[in-house]
Amino acid sequence: QFCCRLVIVIVIEGEAGIGKTQLMNALLLWIQAQRIFYAIGSGDAIERLTPYYPWRQILSQLLQLDDLPNPTARRIYLSQSLQLPAEFISLMPLLNLILGVNFSNTELLQGMAPAVHGQNTRFILLEVLRHCCETSQPIIFLENAQWLDSASWSLILAVCQQSFPIQFIIGTRPLSPSPEYQQLQQLSIVQGIQLQGLSREDTAALI
């Protein structure tokens, strides 16, 4: 399924300690052996209300920013490498908090309504991901998705709806479904794997 891309999103769901991490680690080892490009991000209980928090880690890996020493070096590198369409140039400061860069604020962004700000942030992130897919078809591992913010789910949903050549492997405890996650589950490219513990009867049989 990884090779032919029949499934774009695999959601591994189970209670804490049930074996999600071991399964995801096994998948990661296989992907590394196949030399497939990948990135890893994780939700965080403290940062669960921070927009795009796990995407900071993911995009930093996809764009190879981790070795750049400071926001200015990252800004210069992105300015030279992204080559975004002209209509996105004035939106570059929206990447500052997510990618750790320091693009100067633009007149367009000053006084922008929060809803429009959020929409434009998703637009430019999609364009950045489109750039990442020009040279590779990455697999993205997302751990602890029970702590993902709604903006992160919205970005995953938009990536899938626009048929980007990206595959997601998501590990999560049972979720209280957000509207974005519910929409994601309705897509035919999503496959769920439920991990469950042994019943009393199965445990007794093993003993």
Side-chain angles (χ1 to χ4, degrees):
Q1 287 176 325
F2 290 116
C3 296
C4 61
R5 302 269 167 174
L6 292 177
V7 178
I8 305 299
V9 182
I10 298 174
V11 181
I12 303 170
E13 183 175 326
E15 297 289 350
I18 200 68
K20 298 185 299 297
T21 299
Q22 290 88 333
L23 178 54
M24 293 185 73
N25 285 342
L27 291 170
L28 179 58
L29 287 173
W30 184 87
I31 287 167
Q32 290 172 332
Q34 305 303 311
R35 300 184 181 276
I36 298 172
F37 189 41
Y38 68 91
I40 301 174
S42 177
D44 185 278
I46 296 175
E47 302 286 353
R48 62 186 181 274
L49 297 180
T50 302
Y52 302 109
Y53 176 76
W55 284 100
R56 298 181 182 187
Q57 309 156 50
I58 293 165
L59 288 167
S60 185
Q61 295 164 55
L62 293 179
L63 294 166
Q64 300 179 339
L65 299 178
D66 288 337
D67 294 332
L68 297 177
N70 54 58
T72 298
R74 289 183 169 210
R75 173 177 54 78
I76 294 171
Y77 172 78
L78 290 176
S79 297
Q80 295 173 346
S81 63
L82 283 181
Q83 300 295 312
L84 297 181
E87 62 266 27
F88 289 97
I89 300 303
S90 60
L91 299 179
M92 295 291 277
L94 295 174
L95 299 174
N96 285 349
L97 290 177
I98 301 168
L99 298 182
V101 289
N102 58 0
F103 289 101
S104 298
N105 201 13
T106 63
E107 185 177 348
L108 176 66
L109 298 180
Q110 295 175 0
M112 183 177 285
V116 179
H117 187 283
Q119 186 180 51
N120 282 323
T121 301
R122 185 166 63 253
F123 283 163
I124 193 168
L125 287 175
L126 285 170
E127 195 61 31
V128 170
L129 285 168
R130 197 184 313 276
H131 165 82
C132 293
C133 294
E134 290 177 355
T135 56
S136 65
Q137 297 183 5
I139 293 179
I140 294 176
F141 282 79
L142 264 172
E143 302 177 305
N144 296 312
Q146 69 273 9
W147 291 317
L148 259 61
D149 59 282
S150 61
S152 291
W153 282 121
S154 293
L155 185 57
I156 295 171
L157 178 63
V159 166
C160 295
Q161 290 174 331
Q162 296 189 28
S163 301
F164 280 37
I166 296 176
Q167 191 161 42
F168 293 93
I169 300 175
I170 300 173
T172 181
R173 297 179 191 173
L175 288 165
S176 299
S178 65
E180 298 83 6
Y181 182 61
Q182 289 178 325
Q183 291 181 63
L184 186 68
Q185 286 182 307
Q186 295 173 5
L187 300 179
S188 60
I189 57 174
V190 178
Q191 176 177 319
I193 300 175
Q194 298 280 340
L195 299 184
Q196 298 179 345
L198 294 175
S199 65
R200 291 184 179 180
E201 293 77 10
D202 291 336
T203 303
L206 286 175
I207 296 173

